[in-house]
Amino acid sequence: MFQLDEEHRQFQEVMRQFAEEKVAPHAEEVDKDAVFPWKSVQACFEMELAALGIPSEYGGAGADHVFQAIMAEELARVCGSTSLAMLVTKLGMIPVIYWGSDSLKKKYLPRIAKGEIQAAYALSEADAGSDVASMKTTAVRDGDIYRINGSKYWISNSGVADTYTVFAKTNPAAGHRGISAFLVEKEHGVQVAKLEKKLGMRGSPTGELIFDDVEVPAENLIGEEGMGFYIAMGTLDRSRPTIGAQAVGIAQGALDYAVKYIKERKQFGHPVSEFQGLQFMVADMATKIEASRGLVYRACSLIDDDPKKELSKIGAMAKMFASDTAMSVTIDALQLLGGYGYTCDFPLERFMRDAKITQIYEGTNQIQRVVVAKKVITETV
């Protein structure tokens, strides 16, 4: 069982105060107006949070994945969109950190660490979500450049990102073995066709990207040709636990608000927190959150302990369990507020809307169950 050490706990306290003071005041407006949380993200940059997961040799803090999970959780506890903004940029850089050339790392990672640029991860397509191998986007070598043609859907940070980690087929006949990964700058000609109107995470722009003969320098190939599928899956193995951390934060924020409410709300002459039926709900919610947090932190610690270790099962477990917890806890937290919870005057409906996407992005929870089941069946002798 993983336990936070003193340094982690101190960082947790600092992040809690920072999120309450610098992020929470903007959360309602960000959600209501569906605008990118620039004030909150800028505060994160000033706090040097963008440097957290970047290796120290490239200007980052070199913090372990547990620190990154704490950041994601505490930000999501007050504003899911701000948490997502920070996570997406790290997601876009994971392929560079683990598989990129030294020149790519030197060119982009220091700027990410300083908050000068933001990143995005462009894998999904309209007909290639869970089935990555069916993607249609292509990249053709032409001397010192690759020409990329196609489109990507459901891309977080669309229009905001300065770089996009793009997956495209360099050998369409080879199926998933013909996929390659590229670091594409916005200035290379990436077009944002549209931005989606969404149920939750409304401060995080999600859009469709168009690549029309986009010319990318050959040195911006990440890894080697044909490695794209393995890079994509390896990236998600390392990022899913932090999505779990985001889900834990959303659930914790909802529970904290609901408990404060039922301690103040009176019915029949007593605070409703004295009613056993509601106490049972609180106990179940708190237990699910704590179990999810433990699983998430354990998954994060395994990434740091052995980067070459098989991570897909524990990462899928953490993301799946924590996001299911976030959905059930936010629904129950809203229920504790009764009719008030159903109105937009209270933040529980926002927590519930934000929680839903954690069950969907970076692989639906149905896909996570497939991953877990296959690993368990294979490992059992």
Side-chain angles (χ1 to χ4, degrees), residues 105-243:
K105 294 175 184 178
K106 288 179 178 177
K107 183 175 181 180
Y108 294 102
L109 294 183
R111 299 184 66 196
I112 289 288
K114 293 177 183 177
E116 294 178 355
I117 59 174
Q118 296 185 66
Y121 187 78
L123 177 64
S124 298
E125 298 184 6
D127 297 315
S130 299
D131 182 11
V132 173
S134 66
M135 69 171 58
K136 300 293 193 297
T137 300
T138 61
V140 178
R141 183 75 180 255
D142 183 5
D144 293 334
I145 65 169
Y146 283 89
R147 297 185 186 277
I148 299 180
N149 285 278
S151 61
K152 296 292 180 179
Y153 275 64
W154 319 115
I155 308 305
S156 298
N157 262 11
S158 288
V160 172
D162 301 281
T163 69
Y164 295 87
T165 298
V166 179
F167 295 85
K169 285 188 174 178
T170 47
N171 183 3
H176 72 277
R177 293 182 178 86
I179 298 172
S180 301
F182 301 87
L183 200 290
V184 183
E185 294 185 14
K186 176 172 60 177
E187 284 74 14
H188 290 152
V190 180
Q191 302 173 46
V192 180
K194 69 170 183 176
L195 295 177
E196 304 292 344
K197 295 181 179 179
K198 302 182 299 179
L199 175 73
M201 297 292 185
R202 300 182 70 230
S204 173
T206 301
E208 175 190 357
L209 305 179
I210 301 295
F211 300 86
D212 184 7
D213 264 350
V214 171
E215 297 183 1
V216 182
E219 59 263 29
N220 280 33
L221 173 70
I222 302 173
E224 300 176 0
E225 280 196 14
M227 285 181 60
F229 179 82
Y230 304 99
I231 291 173
M233 296 303 103
T235 295
L236 295 176
D237 286 346
R238 290 161 175 79
S239 66
R240 280 170 178 155
T242 50
I243 292 298

Side-chain angles (χ1 to χ4, degrees), residues 14 38 81 116 138 184 189 227 237 239 297 307 323 329 342 354 363:
V14 171
W38 286 112
S81 293
E116 294 178 355
T138 61
V184 183
M227 285 181 60
D237 286 346
S239 66
Y297 287 176
S323 59
V329 166
Y342 198 67
D354 284 351

Side-chain angles (χ1 to χ4, degrees), residues 2 65 298-309 311:
F2 178 83
H65 280 75
R298 179 167 181 267
C300 287
S301 68
L302 288 177
I303 297 173
D304 297 313
D305 289 344
D306 185 0
K308 296 181 180 179
K309 185 180 179 65
L311 300 168

Side-chain angles (χ1 to χ4, degrees), residues 271-331:
V272 296
S273 60
E274 295 181 4
F275 299 157
Q276 192 178 64
L278 301 192
Q279 290 177 353
F280 285 178
M281 290 177 67
V282 169
D284 288 343
M285 294 157 72
T287 301
K288 290 178 183 178
I289 292 172
E290 196 58 37
S292 298
R293 182 179 289 116
L295 186 54
V296 164
Y297 287 176
R298 179 167 181 267
C300 287
S301 68
L302 288 177
I303 297 173
D304 297 313
D305 289 344
D306 185 0
K308 296 181 180 179
K309 185 180 179 65
E310 167 56 52
L311 300 168
S312 58
K313 183 178 76 172
I314 188 70
M317 284 177 167
K319 190 266 187 189
M320 173 187 73
F321 190 76
S323 59
D324 282 350
T325 291
M327 198 69 245
S328 66
V329 166
T330 54
I331 289 174

